[in-house]
Amino acid sequence: MAHVPQIRIPATYMRGGTSKGVFFRLDDLPEAAREPGEARDRLLMRVIGSPDPYQKQIDGMGGATSSTSKTVILSKSERPDHDVDYLFGQVAIDKAFVDWSGNCGNLSAAVGPFAVANGLVDPARIPENGVVAVRIWQANIGKTIVSRVPITDGEVQETGDFELDGVTFPAAEVPVAFMDPADGEGAIFPTGNRVDDLEVPGVGTLKATLINAGIPTVFVNADEIGYTGTELQEAINGDVEALARFETIRAHGALKMGLIADVAEAASRQHTPKVAFVAPPASYTASSGKAVEASEIDLLVRALSMGKLHHAMMGTAAVAIASAAAIEGTLVNLAAGGGKRNAVTFGHPSGTLRVGAEASLVDGRWVIDEAVMSRSARVLMEGFVRIPGDCF
């Protein structure tokens, strides 16, 4: 019996922040996958190794976690004042779908370096030594990201001494600014409220901050759902009942935010919204064994991604944290002690992260000009991925 041979596709495997994924130039994809649709989704799933009922992604590039089941498609931007168009696909692990509903903030840090190294930025803008500001159009959410990429001897500088909790080795710092990160025309709070009463069947009525900044996120208080905010992954990810409760909270939060019309739709929209819980500062030991002292942080945050507690913090959720912390009266702001803030340091399972945002009230609507954080990024492997030629 004859079988179709494998094909090879130029690709780069990159780490960005606390995530990693497979990066493609749009023009390098097979023609059928250059447009959105079933062919593209099937190709990306096969590259990553999904759907996998074993949830290991052994037969693909994925790492069997939400942080490593990711794909990126980049092209030279035709938009004024932008260098590159960035499209992110979150590949489900055990289900046959790719979620295009949001951005990956961590991989955003790798987009600028990739764009510079792959000729997507005008060479005249790249200094011999210094920093180039790469303007990125985030196509999933229609927003601008500015990444400041360090350059040494005309090449992207990847090595350095910047340390990021959740990443083992140091690298070069890449500051990333998310411009006007609210979804739509300043619609930061879809309900119009900084705090809502969220009715969740089987859980109760919870205080919740529902925010669209960086990525739609449902924030609740840790103590209302039986947690302290110091939990590590094993405390939650091994608890099937807890994960089901979080998914119910997420689904009803999505409904109240207007992201879905029926709670059943949440199952096919795993990437958004995120659900997170917050608490005032407390000392704890991070997953690396590092001691995090209450005096070092402004608050505690734990967040779930694709149904599991994240090992650190999603970059887009960090934008949501920064934005909510900057607006007085949100649960995030109150957990940090309340008052006006333009930056917070929060504790997550792997350590700490400092994020900043500037908020202002304009014509009765909250506006975030930009949210800023520092990440790092580097190429892990480059060349070709191979997949069976008949898989898409």
Side-chain angles (χ1 to χ4, degrees), residues 76 83 115-116 118-128 132 151 154:
K76 198 173 186 66
D83 299 295
V116 172
N118 287 270
L120 299 177
V121 176
D122 181 356
R125 295 189 53 239
I126 302 171
E128 184 66 14
V132 57
I151 304 294

Side-chain angles (χ1 to χ4, degrees), residues 263-342:
V263 290
E265 296 175 30
S268 60
R269 189 187 173 113
Q270 289 189 339
H271 184 51
T272 58
K274 303 301 186 187
V275 60
F277 54 98
V278 299
S283 300
Y284 66 100
T285 302
S287 56
S288 64
K290 172 185 176 180
V292 177
E293 302 298 334
S295 59
E296 300 175 21
I297 56 178
D298 297 299
L299 75 159
L300 296 162
V301 191
R302 301 296 190 262
L304 284 87
S305 179
M306 302 292 285
K308 297 290 181 70
L309 185 71
H310 196 275
H311 75 283
M313 184 56 62
M314 304 83 80
T316 47
V319 172
I321 292 165
S323 301
I327 298 173
E328 294 182 62
T330 69
L331 295 187
V332 179
N333 175 267
L334 294 172
K340 184 170 178 57
R341 295 172 173 273
N342 57 19

